[in-house]
Amino acid sequence: MDDVPSTLSQARIAQYMVKTAVMKHNDRYESVFFKAVAAGAMLSFGGLLSEILSGGAAGLTQSNPGIVKILGGFVFPVGLVMIVLQGLELLTSNMMTFPMAAMKRAIPLWSLPLNWLIVFFGNLVGSLFFGAVLVHYSGIVSTDPYATYIRTFATHKAVDPHWHQIFLRGIGCNWLVSVAIWQAAGARETVSKIFSIWIPIWIFVACGYDHVVANMFSVPLGIMFGANSSYTALLLKLTTAEYIRKSLIASFLGNVVGALFVALPATYFYLSDYDAGGLRTAEDGSASSDNSSDQHKSIDNSMKQ
């Protein structure tokens, strides 16, 4: 037991990613949806904590804005940690795992857009519920400086940048999120998983990259707090239509590309000789190949904490 490495090999991680996508493909649609709803709420907890810290540090923002970005980024990863440890459904991680499984013919191609569609709306429902009920209507941040910061943050996310800038920020974001998921899958025990997630997510938030699901909380929350009227004089109102046209679509597409920056090389490097024959019956919920079944059991055993 002392000779067991602390992390899985890269090939084992890649195999586990494919197996994870197969399991998600075989899951019931309503189960996937409600897991996605919970994931949207969990990520919003991290987003709220980050906005409370950043919004409440107005004096420090004036004197040292870089430190506030670092601190706000540091607390945000709690959301993704809760999602991973609970086994919930997050759109941006499925943007990595499902293409890998589809490329190896472990799942049918139609499963990819179907899963993304279900998880997208589940994450959206969870984020909007959290923002409207547990933040806006609860009144926990209804006074300044928090309310003003929430409006300003949403505007800076969805109004100020150009479309192509949000798209490029989305690439950087989900490249790092996919790295975090990859590293967490390779860790054998909980503390290592948390640390593996924390660093890349800390980087993306501190740098100001765009995560489509995180923005499902922060941008609509800004609209709820009146960001649609804050910049009327400058004709830069943040409306729902503007959020969808600019922020939602651009960050979604950028996140897809960012996930492929991990998924494509990983498939080429580590799954070039992967035997997906036993997984082609994934639609039936079983694998016909004994070798494939044994391989999956081996991966499961190595992932146990």
Side-chain angles (χ1 to χ4, degrees), residues 23-63:
M23 293 172 60
K24 291 173 182 283
H25 165 76
N26 289 325
D27 201 358
R28 303 186 313 275
Y29 294 153
E30 73 276 10
S31 175
V32 172
F33 177 77
F34 287 118
K35 288 178 182 177
V37 171
M42 293 299 105
L43 199 69
S44 298
F45 275 113
L48 176 62
L49 185 59
S50 180
E51 293 206 27
I52 288 175
L53 189 152
S54 300
L60 186 58
T61 300
Q62 296 268 337
S63 61

Side-chain angles (χ1 to χ4, degrees), residues 155-166 169 210 246:
T155 303
H156 287 337
K157 275 290 182 183
V159 176
D160 294 348
H162 296 293
W163 195 97
H164 74 277
Q165 291 176 319
I166 298 175
R169 294 174 189 182
D210 277 272
K246 196 174 184 182

Side-chain angles (χ1 to χ4, degrees), residues 190-292:
T190 302
V191 174
S192 296
K193 289 180 183 293
I194 293 173
F195 193 78
S196 298
I197 294 168
W198 210 280
I199 301 302
I201 305 305
W202 183 5
I203 295 171
F204 108 67
V205 177
C207 292
Y209 289 133
D210 277 272
H211 189 277
V212 64
V213 181
N215 288 356
M216 289 176 183
F217 164 72
S218 61
V219 178
L221 185 66
I223 295 174
M224 295 175 202
F225 274 82
N228 57 337
S229 59
S230 298
Y231 285 72
T232 304
L234 298 178
L235 300 179
L236 292 175
K237 292 192 297 183
L238 173 55
T239 63
T240 301
E242 181 71 3
Y243 160 58
I244 294 173
R245 182 193 71 81
K246 196 174 184 182
S247 173
L248 186 67
I249 295 174
S251 59
F252 176 89
L253 295 176
N255 287 170
V256 171
V257 176
L260 294 177
F261 277 17
V262 175
L264 294 179
T267 303
Y268 176 76
F269 293 149
Y270 309 118
L271 296 175
S272 58
D273 59 348
Y274 183 76
D275 178 17
L279 294 175
R280 289 174 188 153
T281 55
E283 292 181 63
D284 300 327
S286 61
S288 61
S289 168
D290 291 339
N291 290 336
S292 179

Side-chain angles (χ1 to χ4, degrees), residues 89-158:
E89 293 278 355
L90 184 66
L91 176 64
T92 46
S93 62
N94 289 2
M95 288 175 177
M96 172 181 62
T97 57
F98 270 72
M100 292 178 67
M103 284 186 286
K104 302 314 296 183
R105 294 183 294 169
I107 59 172
L109 190 58
W110 57 261
S111 180
L112 185 151
L114 178 61
N115 176 270
W116 287 4
L117 183 67
I118 295 172
V119 175
F120 175 90
F121 282 105
N123 288 164
L124 180 61
V125 169
S127 300
L128 293 179
F129 168 81
F130 185 91
V133 177
L134 299 182
V135 180
H136 185 232
Y137 294 132
S138 71
I140 59 174
V141 288
S142 59
T143 58
D144 282 333
Y146 303 109
T148 298
Y149 178 81
I150 288 170
R151 290 191 293 268
T152 302
F153 183 79
T155 303
H156 287 337
K157 275 290 182 183

